[in-house]
Amino acid sequence: MNKIQECVEKLLEVIREDSAYQRYLACEEMLKSNPELKKQIDEFRVAVFHMNNDDTQEDLYDITDEVENRYEKLRKVPEVNAYLEAELDVCRMLQQVLEQFRNGIDLNIPNV
C-alpha cells in the first residue's frame, strides 16, 4: 500500500471514531426499530436534496414552504431531529476535510 492510501485509511479510521460519526451511527441504529420513520426521513432528505440542487425550479421560496409544510409534523419528532442533526454534523466535518484538501493542494483551477 502506498503512503497516500495509508494516510487515507488512517483518516477514515479517525473519522469513524469521531463522536459526530458515532452519534450518527447510534441514530441509524435507533431507526432500525422503526423502518416507517426511517422511510419518512429518507423521503424528507430526498425532497431537501432536490430543493437545494434543482436549478429548474422557479420559485425557491414556494418550494421551501411546500417542503416545510409537508414535513412539519415529521420535524417535530425528537428522533428525527437527532438523526438529521447528526447527519449534518458528519457532512460538515467531511466538507471541512475537503476544503482543507482543496486549499492545501494548488492545482491552479480557475474560478467559474
Side-chain angles (χ1 to χ4, degrees), residues 6-70:
E6 289 174 17
C7 291
V8 168
E9 290 296 326
K10 180 63 178 167
L11 177 60
L12 289 171
E13 181 181 325
V14 171
I15 290 171
R16 289 181 191 121
E17 293 171 355
D18 187 83
S19 61
Y21 186 66
Q22 290 299 312
R23 196 171 69 254
Y24 171 78
L25 291 177
C27 290
E28 278 275 312
E29 188 64 31
M30 181 270 310
L31 287 173
K32 284 183 180 178
S33 65
N34 193 340
E36 182 56 37
L37 182 60
K38 176 68 164 100
K39 181 181 174 189
Q40 292 174 15
I41 292 170
D42 288 344
E43 289 171 358
F44 171 74
R45 292 167 65 219
V46 167
V48 170
F49 175 84
H50 287 298
M51 179 180 71
N52 289 325
N53 293 292
D54 190 353
D55 292 337
T56 62
Q57 301 292 342
E58 294 185 16
D59 189 357
L60 186 57
Y61 293 112
D62 289 341
I63 295 163
T64 302
D65 285 344
E66 179 186 333
V67 169
E68 286 178 357
N69 291 335
R70 186 171 9 149

Side-chain angles (χ1 to χ4, degrees), residues 47-105:
V48 170
F49 175 84
H50 287 298
M51 179 180 71
N52 289 325
N53 293 292
D54 190 353
D55 292 337
T56 62
Q57 301 292 342
E58 294 185 16
D59 189 357
L60 186 57
Y61 293 112
D62 289 341
I63 295 163
T64 302
D65 285 344
E66 179 186 333
V67 169
E68 286 178 357
N69 291 335
R70 186 171 9 149
Y71 295 100
E72 180 179 9
K73 185 177 177 184
L74 179 67
R75 290 302 312 266
K76 291 182 180 180
V77 177
E79 295 84 2
V80 171
N81 286 322
Y83 175 82
L84 294 172
E85 288 172 12
E87 179 188 47
L88 182 59
D89 288 344
V90 171
C91 289
R92 284 184 177 148
M93 175 180 46
L94 295 176
Q95 287 171 339
Q96 289 173 354
V97 169
L98 290 173
E99 183 70 20
Q100 289 176 349
F101 278 117
R102 277 195 302 273
N103 293 334
I105 305 294

